[in-house]
RNA sequence: GCGAUCGUGGCGAAGUGGUUAACGCACCGGAUUGUGGUUCCGGCAUGCGUGGGUUCAAUUCCCACCGGUCGCCCCA
């Protein structure tokens, strides 16, 4: 057997890459409108960054990281997410010193997590993410969510659900944590094995357990929203007010918890309602992470961001049968007959390409008919034919593939003729 | 990491413990010495994920591994 791509990775082939390019262009354009600038960070980092940034107790750090020792005996990890790297770069390059704050950044690139692959979950996957560092204005929380929603909406998705929650500040979280432990402790034996561990480690996670969802204690569990202190409560209320003002529909889910340790205050997810989606419906996740910049050695700087999976975005587009008008292919095809003509065809094709014309030719030494078949399959607008007859007269035949009409054009006029013809088509809306 | 299920040409898909592994699509050639479609004719898997085992004989039975899919866990 020949060597295969490693488990959980995939090749993106022509036909699919056009879709990716289309989506990337759309997102880049959107970021420009929202004034977020691109940042590119390394694909691998010191392992310590993720242990400190993502959190030592998270599943990502504990069992999903691609970690190895390099030749210099350093522990290196392929990045499992983007926020830690962006914050590290923010601190290291002292972007907090820039006169324009908040610092609004976006990134695009592969992430790596060692998990059991299934649809919508690859070991290497591509995330688009956004971070706004340096503002604790609830309006920026709303802006971040509006940007995330815009990505999906502008690509034509309809079945979307924005779910938000507040995790509160440290004080609120500690109070809630205590209340949760007190609430569930009497029922500990009735909970699933995972939750028994969670109860002491991270009781918040018990709330979104799928197994114990029906347990009576779940319905009466203390909600984080009841434990928000005044400041946190007001903050959350303001975020909702801004969303209302912008006309962005959402629902509050008091059980929404995110898996990364660094989140506080605003947490949100965007999910797909579309049919044909399996167990994985979360398209995008994000939230506020005040304190993370300090944890990574920077000055006190609030932050908020989100990340979305491009693979899942494309799955959603597929599920809703959204057609992307990605443009690919060429406008012209050069058909030649005989060695002499081939020589001239090679030269002319190059000339046309240098003049900006999209054109291809045959490299299989195929018959005229077969070359035309290929041209037809490529949906070209014009076929240029060069045979013995044309060669003698220093001209080519240019065939309009739609009308079927054919015209003789002098070699020296071919470039201008084609440019004119293609421009004409464009104006006609072809 | 756990459970289930699947793996036959470029794609879809039949099939059987035993001579040349159906069929459809796609592709290539010809009928048509220089023009796209249709039709007709012909071609196209020395091999049935990989490696072992059982057997006189395995694509078919057994085992392991690899990979896909679905669910759980978790997440994007």
């Amino acid at each position: 057997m020949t060597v295969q791509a490693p488990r959980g990775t995939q090749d993106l082939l022509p036909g699919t890459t056009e879709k990716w390019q289309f989506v990337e262009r759309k997102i880049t354009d959107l970021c420009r409108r929202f004034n977020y600038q691109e940042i590119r960070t390394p694909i691998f980092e010191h392992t310590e960054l993720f242990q400190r940034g993502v959190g030592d107790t998270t599943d990502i750090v504990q069992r999903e990281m691609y970690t190895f020792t390099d030749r210099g005996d350093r522990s290196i990890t392929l990045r499992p997410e983007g926020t830690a790297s962006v914050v590290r770069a923010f601190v290291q390059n002292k972007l907090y010193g820039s006169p324009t704050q908040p610092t609004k950044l976006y990134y695009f690139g592969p992430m790596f997590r060692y998990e059991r692959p299934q649809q919508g979950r690859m070991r290497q996957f591509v995330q688009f993410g956004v971070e706004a560092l340096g503002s604790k204005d609830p309006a920026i929380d709303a802006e971040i969510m509006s940007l995330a929603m815009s990505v999906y909406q502008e690509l034509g998705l309809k079945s979307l659900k924005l779910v938000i929650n507040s995790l509160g500040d440290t004080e609120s979280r500690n109070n809630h944590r205590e209340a949760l432990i007190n609430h569930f402790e009497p029922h500990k034996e009735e909970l699933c094995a995972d939750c028994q561990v969670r109860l002491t480690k991270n009781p918040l996670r018990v709330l979104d357990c799928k197994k114990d969802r029906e347990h009576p204690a779940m319905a009466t569990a203390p909600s984080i929203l009841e434990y928000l202190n005044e400041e946190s409560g007001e903050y959350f209320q303001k975020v909702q007010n801004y969303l209302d003002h912008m006309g962005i529909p959402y629902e509050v889910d008091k059980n929404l918890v995110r898996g990364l340790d660094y989140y506080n205050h605003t947490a949100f997810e965007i999910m797909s309602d579309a049919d044909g989606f399996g167990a994985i419906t979360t398209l995008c996740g994000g939230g506020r992470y005040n304190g993370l910049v300090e944890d990574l050695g920077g000055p006190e700087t609030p932050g908020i961001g989100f990340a979305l999976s491009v693979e899942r975005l494309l799955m959603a587009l597929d599920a809703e049968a959204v057609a992307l008008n990605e443009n690919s292919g060429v406008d012209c095809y050069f058909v030649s007959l005989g060695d002499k003509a081939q020589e001239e065809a090679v030269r002319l094709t190059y000339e046309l390409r240098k003049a900006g014309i999209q054109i291809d030719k045959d490299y299989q030494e195929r018959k005229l008919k077969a070359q035309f078949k290929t041209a037809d399959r490529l949906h070209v607008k014009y076929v240029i034919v060069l045979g013995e007859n044309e060669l003698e007269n220093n001209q080519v035949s240019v065939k309009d593939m739609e009308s079927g009409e054919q015209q003789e054009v002098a070699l020296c006029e071919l470039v201008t003729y084609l440019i004119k013809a293609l421009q004409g088509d464009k104006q006609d809306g072809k």
Side-chain angles (χ1 to χ4, degrees), chain A residues 57-155:
Chain A
T57 64
T58 59
D59 276 14
I60 290 180
V61 170
Q62 284 190 337
R63 39 193 274 233
E64 295 176 3
M65 294 209 299
Y66 275 92
T67 298
F68 60 96
T69 306
D70 74 3
R71 287 166 186 267
D73 246 353
R74 288 169 279 252
S75 180
I76 297 294
T77 295
L78 263 34
R79 63 182 184 194
E81 59 102 52
T83 302
S85 296
V86 170
V87 170
R88 195 224 79 234
F90 175 83
V91 172
Q92 184 176 336
N93 297 285
K94 300 184 170 60
L95 298 184
Y96 46 79
S98 161
T100 52
Q101 297 294 342
T103 302
K104 308 209 297 185
L105 303 167
Y106 77 89
Y107 59 86
F108 223 111
M111 305 294 163
F112 306 84
R113 292 184 200 174
Y114 192 91
E115 292 182 272
R116 184 79 172 263
Q118 65 189 67
Q119 195 171 52
R121 195 175 69 187
M122 294 281 130
R123 288 182 174 179
Q124 175 178 332
F125 60 101
V126 175
Q127 278 192 340
F128 159 67
V130 157
E131 315 290 350
L133 295 149
S135 170
K136 54 178 173 36
D137 185 340
I140 197 104
D141 298 45
E143 175 180 289
I144 285 278
M145 288 187 252
S146 71
L147 173 51
M149 286 299 280
S150 296
V151 169
Y152 298 109
Q153 285 167 339
E154 293 210 2
L155 283 166

Side-chain angles (χ1 to χ4, degrees), chain A residues 172-184 203 222 227:
Chain A
S172 311
R173 289 181 74 163
N174 286 342
N175 289 341
H176 179 233
R177 186 192 149 92
E178 218 165 291
L180 272 176
I181 294 174
N182 290 338
H183 176 79
F184 281 112
Y227 281 80

Side-chain angles (χ1 to χ4, degrees), chain A residues 331-347:
Chain A
D331 289 332
C332 306
Y333 198 77
F334 208 120
V335 168
S336 67
L337 290 157
D339 294 344
K340 264 270 170 49
Q342 153 95 350
E343 257 177 40
E344 195 59 10
V346 166
R347 187 184 71 77

